[in-house]
Amino acid sequence: MSLQRIVRVSLEHPTSAVCVAGVETLVDIYGSVPEGTETFEVYGTPGVNIYISPNMEASRERADTRRWHFNMGLEIIVVMNSPSNDLNDSHVQISYHSRDEPLALAYAVLYLTCVDISLDTDMNCDGNVERNYVDKRQWVWGPSGHGAVLLVNCDRDDPTCDDRDNCDKRVRCLEDLQDMSLMILKTQGPAALFDDHKLVLHVSSFDAERARVFHACGPEDSCETYRYVLGQNKVSYVVPRFSGDEERFYIEGLSFPDAGFSGLITFHVTLLDDSNQDFPESPIFTDTVVFRVAPWIMTPSTLPPLEVYVCKVRNNTHFVEAVAHLARKAGCKLTICPQDENRNDRWIQDEIELGYIQAPHKTFPVVFDSPRNGELQDFPYKRILGPDFGYVTREAEEDLVTGMDSFGNLEVSPPVTVGGKEYPLGRILIGGSSYPRDVSREMLKVLQDFLFAQKVQAPVRLFSDWLSIGHVDEFLSFVPAQDGKGFRLLLASPSTCYKLFEEKEKEGHGDVKMLEGVKKKGNMMIKEVLSDKTLRQHNQYAESCIDWNREILKQELGLTEEDIIDIPQLFRLKMVVSKNELKAEALFPDMVNMLVLGKHLGIPKPFGPIINGQCCLEEKVRALLEPLGLKCTFIDDYFTYHIRSGEVHCGTNVRRKPFPFKWWNMTP
């Protein structure tokens, strides 16, 4: 769709004009009118459609049906639908008449050359580039929407290169083109027209910083064919005339949506009249297409797992073996980060989050590297980034980064519907304070801006600052289920633990100790846990914080109590010297901080009271989860993770299958 062009005719000499197939041209006949004119007639050669309209809103009528009364309000509209074979091979003739004279007072002739110009992309998101008569200037969400999709070309297809594919201005290997979006410029018309006309592809300087365009200028089986034509410091490109009618352009994204960038990038092609060497070119026609940069999408723990990541450090051999065993049972690939690369940083969940980006023609995983920059900081860039595996990060000043910016504090729910509003890709969950305070901890604004800008997984803020580490994965997780909403939300629950212990005391097991086999002294008996007033107050506080989040999650995810399973857990408060505040940490291994691999769950072994040969905490969790078809494996992480304020989930990470739902079919 393009703006109408106005062409003025003359009585003194014929006028020539270029029109574009399918685009309306307004003919102004009022600038030069013979005296005494009362009516006029308009005729055109075959292929020229002429209409008369009182104004733009009123219905129009074919011009050759009758003689028209001369009225300044009338508009003459000319449309050609097929390109010309030669210059000026069509024309329009206007004759001016008076009431008394039988012959025309004068004639005006407009010679027309029609050219067909179209800038085409995959507007229907069906993987095909074809002409589409929707408004290409608009990007419309939803199953009935339209608009082209652009990937941030953030993988590294050439293994000999040290950087991501979009960090230089060249095509290093042909596989790189598969990550780009195709845009085709089609032109049909007399070749001689372009002796004094030219086509210019152009973009705004703002958008040029966020996308790069390559022109295929020869055989497409050679990297040298692809010429860098638009991007940073290059906002326009005069398209050379080759023998064909089709020019192919490949576009790569440089930036994800973020604060100040909606993700929309607009490209234009303009036909310019360059026939008068004494004056600048004048525009005749512009075609426009809009791309949306594909968002980075997180995958919830309910999606099928593909690959498990874990770090091998000095003292966690048995832990790694347990994770490997679980990965084999789930049919997952296992990737171990060796000690010489992790330098004893075992917290791979905090370092990265694994998601993906998707266009109709291509989907690939993208690792989001947190700004925590521990000893693992080089692993995602050096080992995960590669062919069809992208990388993105957000940096901040080192003294501003806190534990809240680690990605144990970043989770995503399964798909939910809330009050009729669908979230088919789930909702991101991030932790922080319940209200602003001088000493409150929040995730960095640069991270929150990025997450909110992706639009498709509208984030929810939770209260996690009550915890010593402060991560949402310390009190919640999601597991798949075959019924209901297709999942259950697991919440850590002190009250459920107290209720279980009270039942065991009534059964005569009050003297049974916790943490047998891992602690040599100070092991509390069930009756001591129940009688410890300070510990109970600590857990009443923890329960109130979890309940605050419970209500937020029910409201923001559209959950009911039937969708939630309470997992027994106790906490204790400790003074955090740097904050001069009491913060909570798990009293025994935190069972909601689990590894979910389909129906296989790797749960921190709680070392609860052994009754009748079984840990009563494990027995309770099995009773809660195994009826859902889940299989519970309890992994000993006490000395390797728990005493360092983390658990199984903190020490692992998972790449999962993308959602079957296509993000462009949703309405944010």
Side-chain angles (χ1 to χ4, degrees):
M1 185 178 295
S2 181
L3 297 174
Q4 291 178 322
R5 185 182 179 217
I6 299 176
V7 176
R8 293 176 171 82
V9 295
S10 170
L11 300 178
E12 299 175 0
H13 52 77
T15 306
S16 295
V18 175
C19 65
V20 176
V23 178
E24 296 179 349
T25 299
L26 298 184
V27 181
D28 181 2
I29 64 171
Y30 305 109
S32 181
V33 182
E35 186 176 349
T37 296
E38 293 192 1
T39 60
F40 66 91
E41 294 179 346
V42 184
Y43 295 97
T45 53
V48 181
N49 301 302
I50 309 171
Y51 304 92
I52 304 294
S53 175
N55 54 61
M56 289 299 296
E57 285 74 28
S59 60
R60 56 186 60 178
E61 186 177 340
R62 291 193 65 91
D64 55 6
T65 57
R66 59 188 174 93
R67 184 174 291 185
W68 298 87
H69 186 73
F70 192 84
N71 184 325
M72 293 295 288
L74 292 179
E75 291 179 330
I76 300 176
I77 302 167
V78 174
V79 182
M80 295 183 70
N81 293 315
S82 299
S84 299
N85 294 317
D86 299 296
L87 294 176
N88 299 323
D89 64 357
S90 300
H91 71 267
V92 173
Q93 178 177 285
I94 302 111
S95 58
Y96 299 85
H97 300 269
S98 68
R99 179 183 302 174
D100 302 324
E101 296 292 333
L103 300 177
L105 297 175
Y107 294 92
V109 178
L110 171 64
Y111 286 101
L112 295 172
T113 302
C114 183
V115 61
D116 193 3
I117 300 172
S118 180
L119 196 59
D120 297 323
T121 62
D122 180 10
M123 297 295 294
N124 291 330
C125 289
D126 60 3
N128 299 309
V129 176
E130 54 194 18
R131 194 156 188 173
N132 193 304
Y133 290 95
V134 298
D135 186 355
K136 295 183 289 186
R137 298 172 301 176
Q138 302 293 323
W139 205 98
V140 181
W141 291 90
S144 300
H146 62 264
V149 176
L150 186 62
L151 294 175
V152 176
N153 192 12
C154 58
D155 67 341
R156 183 170 57 201
D157 288 315
D158 182 357
T160 66
C161 181
D162 293 331
D163 222 331
R164 285 163 284 178
D165 290 341
N166 62 3
C167 290
D168 59 20
K169 300 174 182 178
R170 56 181 291 195
V171 175
R172 290 184 172 269
C173 61
L174 295 177
E175 290 79 6
D176 194 18
L177 296 170
Q178 299 172 13
D179 303 334
M180 301 187 194
S181 294
L182 179 61
M183 181 170 67
I184 298 178
L185 172 60
K186 297 178 181 178
T187 58
Q188 286 183 286
L193 175 69
F194 293 95
D195 293 341
D196 52 16
H197 291 75
K198 60 186 177 183
L199 285 167
V200 177
L201 193 68
H202 54 104
V203 66
S204 72
S205 57
F206 180 87
D207 287 354
E209 295 293 320
R210 290 156 180 83
R212 186 179 292 125
V213 180
F214 297 93
H215 184 196
C217 299
E220 297 196 8
D221 58 354
S222 169
C223 291
E224 302 305 318
T225 289
Y226 301 93
R227 180 190 303 170
Y228 165 55
V229 296
L230 287 182
Q232 294 156 323
N233 302 318
K234 296 188 82 166
V235 297
S236 65
Y237 171 63
V238 178
V239 182
R241 291 292 296 168
F242 294 107
S243 57
D245 297 328
E246 180 178 296
E247 301 297 333
R248 296 167 73 85
F249 297 90
Y250 292 85
I251 311 172
E252 64 179 0
L254 306 180
S255 302
F256 281 95
D258 212 328
F261 175 43
S262 67
L264 295 176
I265 296 177
T266 304
F267 294 95
H268 314 271
V269 65
T270 296
L271 177 65
L272 295 175
D273 183 348
D274 196 26
S275 59
N276 192 328
Q277 300 301 313
D278 296 327
F279 296 97
E281 309 101 327
S282 58
I284 293 175
F285 166 79
T286 294
D287 201 15
T288 298
V289 295
V290 177
F291 286 82
R292 180 175 289 280
V293 176
W296 179 77
I297 300 172
M298 283 185 67
T299 51
S301 57
T302 51
L303 284 175
L306 296 173
E307 183 174 8
V308 180
Y309 294 82
V310 65
C311 292
K312 176 69 177 73
V313 295
R314 273 195 301 266
N315 63 347
N316 75 339
T317 299
H318 295 302
F319 178 85
V320 172
E321 290 174 350
V323 170
H325 180 67
L326 196 69
R328 285 193 296 271
K329 288 201 290 186
C332 295
K333 177 183 177 182
L334 178 69
T335 295
I336 299 174
C337 176
Q339 189 171 346
D340 60 351
E341 293 185 26
N342 63 55
R343 292 168 289 187
N344 263 2
D345 184 352
R346 67 196 71 208
W347 308 112
I348 198 165
Q349 181 65 226
D350 287 340
E351 184 64 38
I352 60 174
E353 188 65 55
L354 294 158
Y356 68 96
I357 58 175
Q358 183 173 55
H361 65 282
K362 186 69 177 285
T363 301
F364 61 81
V366 175
V367 57
F368 187 12
D369 189 4
S370 80
R372 74 183 279 265
N373 290 340
E375 297 301 319
L376 265 169
Q377 62 177 321
D378 294 333
F379 178 72
Y381 197 85
K382 291 185 176 180
R383 286 290 304 275
I384 298 180
L385 170 64
D388 289 338
F389 210 131
Y391 173 94
V392 64
T393 189
R394 287 296 178 269
E395 297 289 351
E397 295 180 23
E398 186 175 348
D399 59 348
L400 296 179
V401 178
T402 71
M404 308 299 274
D405 307 309
S406 297
F407 286 167
N409 198 31
L410 176 61
E411 296 298 320
V412 64
S413 80
V416 292
T417 299
V418 186
K421 170 69 174 176
E422 294 183 354
Y423 297 91
L425 303 176
R427 300 191 69 178
I428 284 173
L429 308 174
I430 56 178
S433 296
S434 60
Y435 63 93
R437 298 182 299 144
D438 292 339
V439 294
S440 62
R441 297 176 295 171
E442 299 289 348
M443 181 178 281
L444 282 168
K445 185 176 185 299
V446 67
L447 291 177
Q448 294 197 49
D449 286 345
F450 175 84
L451 296 169
F452 276 88
Q454 307 313 304
K455 283 186 174 292
V456 296
Q457 295 179 301
V460 177
R461 293 186 177 94
L462 298 175
F463 175 34
S464 65
D465 193 26
W466 60 280
L467 290 153
S468 177
I469 300 300
H471 294 175
V472 293
D473 69 352
E474 297 178 75
F475 63 86
L476 67 81
S477 61
F478 296 92
V479 295
Q482 299 300 315
D483 60 352
K485 293 182 173 65
F487 68 90
R488 296 290 191 276
L489 166 64
L490 309 185
L491 289 178
S493 174
S495 61
T496 299
C497 190
Y498 274 111
K499 182 179 179 182
L500 174 64
F501 283 2
E502 287 166 357
E503 292 173 356
K504 298 306 177 185
E505 185 182 42
K506 288 179 182 178
E507 293 171 2
H509 304 296
D511 293 332
V512 180
K513 292 182 178 181
M514 296 179 56
L515 301 174
E516 286 280 17
V518 292
K519 288 184 69 177
K520 294 182 179 179
K521 58 181 180 179
N523 295 356
M524 297 179 71
M525 294 183 288
I526 289 177
K527 65 182 182 182
E528 291 174 329
V529 171
L530 296 175
S531 63
D532 189 327
K533 294 182 179 179
T534 300
L535 182 62
R536 191 175 286 269
Q537 289 173 344
H538 288 186
N539 280 280
Q540 287 172 346
Y541 168 74
E543 188 95 58
S544 70
C545 296
I546 295 169
D547 283 345
W548 177 273
N549 289 298
R550 187 188 203 94
E551 293 307 309
I552 294 174
L553 290 161
K554 287 167 67 174
Q555 179 178 341
E556 297 293 342
L557 301 184
L559 305 181
T560 65
E561 284 297 323
E562 288 71 28
D563 303 315
I564 302 172
I565 295 177
D566 291 307
I567 301 297
Q569 187 64 49
L570 294 181
F571 297 87
R572 59 184 171 190
L573 298 182
K574 280 193 170 183
M575 179 63 67
V576 177
V577 177
S578 60
K579 299 292 181 183
N580 195 30
E581 282 190 302
L582 289 172
K583 299 290 184 182
E585 60 180 30
L587 181 65
F588 52 82
D590 188 353
M591 290 185 288
V592 296
N593 193 275
M594 65 177 65
L595 173 62
V596 181
L597 301 179
K599 64 182 180 180
H600 297 281
L601 309 181
I603 305 172
K605 186 175 181 61
F607 291 98
I610 304 298
I611 298 172
N612 299 325
Q614 290 192 23
C615 169
C616 66
L617 289 171
E618 291 185 19
E619 187 177 32
K620 176 65 175 179
V621 170
R622 290 185 190 277
L624 291 170
L625 300 181
E626 290 185 347
L628 299 175
L630 302 172
K631 298 182 181 300
C632 300
T633 298
F634 291 89
I635 297 176
D636 180 359
D637 71 351
Y638 192 87
F639 291 109
T640 51
Y641 292 87
H642 172 70
I643 63 172
R644 293 172 169 84
S645 302
E647 308 289 357
V648 173
H649 185 259
C650 305
T652 56
N653 219 307
V654 184
R655 176 172 64 89
R656 301 180 184 275
K657 284 186 178 180
F659 285 100
F661 182 88
K662 309 304 181 185
W663 62 266
W664 50 83
N665 287 327
M666 71 174 293
T667 302

